Coordinates of all heavy atoms in Angstrom, one line a residue:
V112 N -29.8 -95.0 -29.3 CA -28.5 -95.7 -29.1 C -28.1 -95.6 -27.7 O -27.6 -96.6 -27.1 CB -27.5 -95.1 -30.1 CG1 -26.1 -95.7 -29.7 CG2 -27.8 -95.5 -31.5
L113 N -28.3 -94.5 -27.0 CA -27.9 -94.4 -25.6 C -28.7 -95.3 -24.7 O -28.2 -95.9 -23.8 CB -28.0 -92.9 -25.2 CG -27.5 -92.5 -23.8 CD1 -26.0 -92.9 -23.6 CD2 -27.7 -91.1 -23.5
F114 N -30.0 -95.4 -25.0 CA -30.8 -96.3 -24.2 C -30.4 -97.8 -24.5 O -30.5 -98.6 -23.6 CB -32.3 -96.1 -24.5 CG -32.9 -95.0 -23.7 CD1 -33.2 -93.8 -24.4 CD2 -33.1 -95.1 -22.3 CE1 -33.8 -92.7 -23.6 CE2 -33.7 -94.0 -21.6 CZ -34.0 -92.8 -22.3
L115 N -30.0 -98.1 -25.7 CA -29.5 -99.4 -26.0 C -28.2 -99.7 -25.3 O -28.1 -100.8 -24.8 CB -29.3 -99.5 -27.5 CG -28.8 -100.9 -28.0 CD1 -29.8 -102.0 -27.7 CD2 -28.6 -100.9 -29.5
V116 N -27.3 -98.8 -25.2 CA -26.1 -98.9 -24.4 C -26.4 -99.2 -23.0 O -25.8 -100.0 -22.3 CB -25.2 -97.7 -24.6 CG1 -24.0 -97.8 -23.7 CG2 -24.7 -97.6 -26.1
Y117 N -27.4 -98.4 -22.4 CA -27.8 -98.6 -21.0 C -28.3 -100.0 -20.8 O -28.0 -100.7 -19.8 CB -28.9 -97.6 -20.7 CG -29.8 -98.1 -19.5 CD1 -29.3 -98.0 -18.2 CD2 -31.0 -98.6 -19.8 CE1 -30.1 -98.4 -17.2 CE2 -31.8 -99.0 -18.7 CZ -31.4 -98.9 -17.4 OH -32.2 -99.3 -16.4
A118 N -29.1 -100.5 -21.7 CA -29.7 -101.9 -21.6 C -28.6 -102.9 -21.6 O -28.6 -103.9 -20.8 CB -30.7 -102.2 -22.7
V119 N -27.6 -102.8 -22.5 CA -26.5 -103.8 -22.6 C -25.6 -103.7 -21.4 O -25.3 -104.8 -20.8 CB -25.7 -103.5 -23.9 CG1 -24.4 -104.4 -23.9 CG2 -26.5 -103.7 -25.1
V120 N -25.3 -102.5 -20.9 CA -24.4 -102.4 -19.7 C -25.2 -102.9 -18.5 O -24.6 -103.6 -17.6 CB -24.0 -100.9 -19.5 CG1 -23.3 -100.8 -18.2 CG2 -23.1 -100.5 -20.7
T121 N -26.5 -102.7 -18.4 CA -27.2 -103.2 -17.2 C -27.3 -104.7 -17.2 O -27.1 -105.3 -16.2 CB -28.7 -102.6 -17.3 OG1 -28.6 -101.2 -17.3 CG2 -29.5 -103.1 -16.1
Y122 N -27.4 -105.3 -18.4 CA -27.4 -106.7 -18.5 C -26.1 -107.3 -18.1 O -26.0 -108.3 -17.4 CB -27.8 -107.2 -19.9 CG -27.8 -108.7 -20.1 CD1 -28.9 -109.4 -19.7 CD2 -26.7 -109.3 -20.7 CE1 -28.9 -110.8 -19.9 CE2 -26.7 -110.7 -20.9 CZ -27.8 -111.4 -20.5 OH -27.8 -112.8 -20.6
L123 N -25.0 -106.7 -18.5 CA -23.7 -107.2 -18.2 C -23.3 -107.0 -16.7 O -22.7 -107.9 -16.1 CB -22.6 -106.5 -19.1 CG -22.7 -106.8 -20.6 CD1 -21.7 -106.0 -21.3 CD2 -22.5 -108.3 -20.8
V124 N -23.8 -105.9 -16.1 CA -23.5 -105.7 -14.7 C -24.3 -106.7 -13.8 O -23.8 -107.2 -12.9 CB -23.8 -104.2 -14.3 CG1 -23.8 -104.0 -12.8 CG2 -22.9 -103.3 -15.0
N125 N -25.6 -106.9 -14.2 CA -26.4 -107.8 -13.4 C -26.0 -109.3 -13.6 O -26.2 -110.1 -12.7 CB -27.8 -107.7 -13.8 CG -28.4 -106.4 -13.3 OD1 -27.9 -105.7 -12.4 ND2 -29.5 -105.9 -14.0
S126 N -25.3 -109.6 -14.8 CA -24.9 -111.0 -15.0 C -23.7 -111.3 -14.2 O -23.4 -112.5 -14.0 CB -24.6 -111.2 -16.5 OG -23.6 -110.3 -16.9
K127 N -22.9 -110.3 -13.7 CA -21.7 -110.5 -12.9 C -20.7 -111.4 -13.6 O -20.1 -112.3 -13.0 CB -22.1 -111.1 -11.5 CG -23.0 -110.3 -10.7 CD -23.3 -110.9 -9.3 CE -24.2 -110.0 -8.5 NZ -23.6 -108.7 -8.3
S128 N -20.5 -111.2 -14.8 CA -19.5 -112.0 -15.6 C -18.5 -111.0 -16.3 O -19.0 -110.0 -16.8 CB -20.2 -112.8 -16.7 OG -20.9 -112.0 -17.6
G129 N -17.3 -111.3 -16.2 CA -16.3 -110.5 -16.9 C -15.9 -109.3 -16.1 O -16.1 -109.1 -14.9
A130 N -15.4 -108.3 -16.9 CA -14.9 -107.1 -16.2 C -16.1 -106.2 -15.8 O -15.9 -105.3 -15.0 CB -14.0 -106.3 -17.2
F131 N -17.3 -106.4 -16.3 CA -18.4 -105.5 -16.0 C -18.9 -105.8 -14.6 O -19.7 -105.1 -14.0 CB -19.5 -105.7 -17.0 CG -19.2 -105.1 -18.4 CD1 -18.6 -105.9 -19.3 CD2 -19.4 -103.8 -18.6 CE1 -18.3 -105.4 -20.6 CE2 -19.1 -103.2 -19.9 CZ -18.6 -104.0 -20.8
A132 N -18.5 -107.0 -14.0 CA -19.0 -107.3 -12.7 C -18.5 -106.4 -11.6 O -19.1 -106.2 -10.6 CB -18.6 -108.8 -12.3
A133 N -17.3 -105.8 -11.9 CA -16.7 -104.9 -10.9 C -17.3 -103.5 -11.0 O -17.0 -102.6 -10.1 CB -15.2 -104.8 -11.1
L134 N -18.1 -103.2 -12.0 CA -18.6 -101.8 -12.1 C -19.7 -101.6 -11.1 O -20.5 -102.5 -10.8 CB -19.2 -101.7 -13.5 CG -18.3 -101.6 -14.7 CD1 -19.0 -101.5 -16.0 CD2 -17.3 -100.4 -14.6
P135 N -19.8 -100.4 -10.5 CA -20.8 -100.1 -9.6 C -22.2 -100.0 -10.2 O -22.3 -99.7 -11.4 CB -20.4 -98.7 -9.0 CG -19.6 -98.1 -10.1 CD -18.9 -99.2 -10.7
S136 N -23.2 -100.3 -9.5 CA -24.6 -100.3 -10.0 C -25.0 -98.9 -10.4 O -25.9 -98.7 -11.2 CB -25.6 -100.9 -9.1 OG -25.5 -100.2 -7.8
S137 N -24.3 -97.8 -9.8 CA -24.7 -96.5 -10.1 C -24.4 -96.1 -11.5 O -24.9 -95.1 -12.1 CB -24.1 -95.5 -9.1 OG -22.7 -95.6 -9.2
I138 N -23.5 -96.8 -12.2 CA -23.1 -96.4 -13.6 C -24.3 -96.6 -14.5 O -24.5 -95.8 -15.5 CB -21.9 -97.3 -14.0 CG1 -21.3 -96.7 -15.4 CG2 -22.3 -98.7 -14.2 CD1 -20.7 -95.4 -15.2
T139 N -25.1 -97.6 -14.3 CA -26.3 -97.8 -15.1 C -27.3 -96.7 -14.9 O -28.0 -96.2 -15.8 CB -27.0 -99.1 -14.8 OG1 -27.3 -99.2 -13.4 CG2 -26.0 -100.3 -15.1
S140 N -27.5 -96.2 -13.6 CA -28.4 -95.1 -13.4 C -27.9 -93.8 -14.0 O -28.7 -93.0 -14.5 CB -28.5 -94.9 -11.8 OG -29.1 -96.1 -11.2
L141 N -26.6 -93.7 -14.1 CA -26.0 -92.5 -14.7 C -26.2 -92.5 -16.2 O -26.6 -91.5 -16.8 CB -24.5 -92.4 -14.4 CG -23.8 -91.1 -14.7 CD1 -24.4 -89.9 -13.9 CD2 -22.3 -91.2 -14.4

Side-chain angles (χ1 to χ4, degrees):
V112 169
L113 187 55
F114 278 108
L115 180 61
V116 172
Y117 156 77
V119 173
V120 173
T121 301
Y122 179 80
L123 293 175
V124 170
N125 291 338
S126 62
K127 298 183 180 301
S128 60
F131 290 93
L134 291 176
S136 59
S137 60
I138 191 67
T139 59
S140 299
L141 193 60

